[in-house]
Amino acid sequence: MNHNITDFDHSDDSKLEGLRMTRQRREVYDVLMSLRDHPTASEVYERAKANMPGISLATVYNCLEALVDHGAVRQVHFERESSRYCPNLTAHGHFQDEQSGTVIDVPLKKGASLGDFLDLPAGVQVNNIEINLTGKISN
Amino acid sequence: MNHNITDFDHSDDSKLEGLRMTRQRREVYDVLMSLRDHPTASEVYERAKANMPGISLATVYNCLEALVDHGAVRQVHFERESSRYCPNLTAHGHFQDEQSGTVIDVPLKKGASLGDFLDLPAGVQVNNIEINLTGKISN
DNA sequence: TTGCACATTAGAATCATTCTAAATTTAGGC
DNA sequence: GCCTAAATTTAGAATGATTCTAATGTGCAA
């Protein structure tokens, strides 16, 4: 097979089209795609350093911002904790376990739409939605 | 009538029962109840100083935390902006206008419940929900 | 291949919030 | 009403995530 350490499944790079690509942006995006566990910028930085020791925290922030602005990645915010990053672009919310801080995706039910449960005032154009739940996992 | 400057409509203080009351907590709560416009801690501080010039910003933070912990007031978070405070305890979300930053309440439709639109994993106990929309107001 | 607009970088700066420790106040029991 | 313990207030320092700055490096269209 002859794989080496730089091999990576870049199968769904369509989200990156039109974004000027740099080694750092590639690495940051790959970090997010490989675990999909809502890391903070610092956590992305720690992981990215494994493959790219010279990358800086400022660059990780810049790359994450570029990916978010490009629509390839979404930010998740609980309270005023560090921003977390999520490469799942389908409609979904998030749940954070109060004990561990772990964040998981919560899919929207098929066919559900905002207007079904929210009384939106006339004339508002919604560009972004965050649905964030916190609580405990019982068992 | 013999009213004076300290008079205020304390009609719905039931939310404060069981919370140790101080002049500062009273003032902070009254500030939130009188405009109900989702001010930040600094904005609450500015308004509170009108009636209570000596109050400190640290105290405003402490009072807001006490009110939140007591369940008399809720926090609202957009991105990593300053926390905002909302005395509306009914089930509702928030909409922020991208231009002005203004935040308004968005009521949940009567009878709507979480399980209607979210595929919650088994065994999660939800203690808090934030539904935050951002966008533009067209007209 | 080249030019240059855009990216990366280290370190400083920012800013909301929390912490610290001393002075003050609340609420309950007498 | 007065006393006391425990909780609260306060100014200022500390924290920590993020953004800014300005110098250096690089992707990519022509």
CSV table of all heavy atoms in Angstrom, one decimal, chain B residues 20 39 72 82 127:
chain,number,residue,atom,x,y,z
B,20,ARG,N,-31.2,36.0,49.7
B,20,ARG,CA,-30.9,37.1,50.7
B,20,ARG,C,-30.9,38.4,50.0
B,20,ARG,O,-30.2,38.6,49.0
B,20,ARG,CB,-29.5,36.7,51.2
B,20,ARG,CG,-29.1,37.7,52.3
B,20,ARG,CD,-27.8,37.2,52.9
B,20,ARG,NE,-27.3,38.0,53.9
B,20,ARG,CZ,-26.4,37.7,54.8
B,20,ARG,NH1,-26.0,36.5,54.8
B,20,ARG,NH2,-26.0,38.5,55.8
B,39,PRO,N,-29.6,43.8,28.7
B,39,PRO,CA,-28.3,44.6,28.8
B,39,PRO,C,-27.2,43.7,29.3
B,39,PRO,O,-27.4,42.6,29.8
B,39,PRO,CB,-28.7,45.5,30.0
B,39,PRO,CG,-29.7,44.8,30.8
B,39,PRO,CD,-30.5,44.1,29.7
B,72,ALA,N,-33.9,33.7,39.0
B,72,ALA,CA,-34.7,34.8,38.8
B,72,ALA,C,-34.5,35.5,37.5
B,72,ALA,O,-35.2,36.4,37.0
B,72,ALA,CB,-34.5,35.8,39.9
B,82,SER,N,-20.1,39.8,25.4
B,82,SER,CA,-20.5,39.9,26.8
B,82,SER,C,-21.8,39.2,27.1
B,82,SER,O,-22.7,39.3,26.2
B,82,SER,CB,-20.6,41.4,27.2
B,82,SER,OG,-19.5,42.1,26.9
B,127,ASN,N,-31.0,20.4,31.3
B,127,ASN,CA,-31.2,21.3,32.4
B,127,ASN,C,-31.3,22.8,31.9
B,127,ASN,O,-31.8,23.6,32.6
B,127,ASN,CB,-30.0,21.3,33.4
B,127,ASN,CG,-30.0,20.0,34.2
B,127,ASN,OD1,-31.1,19.3,34.3
B,127,ASN,ND2,-28.9,19.6,34.7
